[in-house]
Amino acid sequence: PRVWGRSSSRVPGRLLPGSGPGTRPHPLPCPGTTMTDDEHRFIDLLTSTHPAWRYEHLRLPGLPRWWAIRYKPLRPDQRAAGARDMLGRTTLHRLARALARHDEILHRSRY
């Protein structure tokens, strides 16, 4: 499959689509896959609820299908508190729950 972007230390040996500078905030569909209208609406909801993240749709063996990638890097104290620059989950609902938990971590670290 075609991949875009730069390599990520969190996903060894793989390139994440749209992870480089100047990329679009919405997912780039993977070749041969389509997103449903419900998935598009859910991504729009996530974009309005969690605007600090870029959302990606990825279909590679052994990797989660949905990714949220922060636009701005975290501070070292936020990483020490458990915050991450990238979250990957198998479904959009699981990704939304992970983003909510992540917001709690950042709130506790006075982000």
Side-chain angles (χ1 to χ4, degrees), residues 70 74 78 83 102-111:
R70 287 190 57 84
L74 295 166
Q78 293 168 327
H102 196 271
D103 281 351
E104 291 174 17
I105 291 170
L106 290 178
H107 181 72
R108 284 192 305 256
S109 67
R110 294 180 186 93
Y111 183 62

Side-chain angles (χ1 to χ4, degrees), residues 3-84:
V3 292
W4 303 268
R6 60 182 164 76
S7 179
S8 168
S9 61
R10 302 231 188 274
V11 187
R14 299 288 186 180
L15 299 177
L16 293 179
S19 59
T23 56
R24 295 183 282 170
H26 289 286
L28 297 171
C30 295
T33 65
T34 58
M35 287 180 19
T36 65
D37 288 340
D38 287 340
E39 289 172 331
H40 279 288
R41 283 191 290 275
F42 206 102
I43 290 293
D44 288 339
L45 177 66
L46 285 177
T47 301
S48 64
T49 308
H50 305 281
W53 300 83
R54 181 178 64 249
Y55 301 94
E56 303 290 344
H57 179 232
L58 178 68
R59 193 168 281 199
L60 291 173
L63 293 177
R65 183 176 176 192
W66 296 100
W67 290 84
I69 304 162
R70 287 190 57 84
Y71 283 115
K72 293 168 57 174
L74 295 166
R75 298 186 320 250
D77 62 313
Q78 293 168 327
R79 282 196 184 91
R84 299 289 172 251

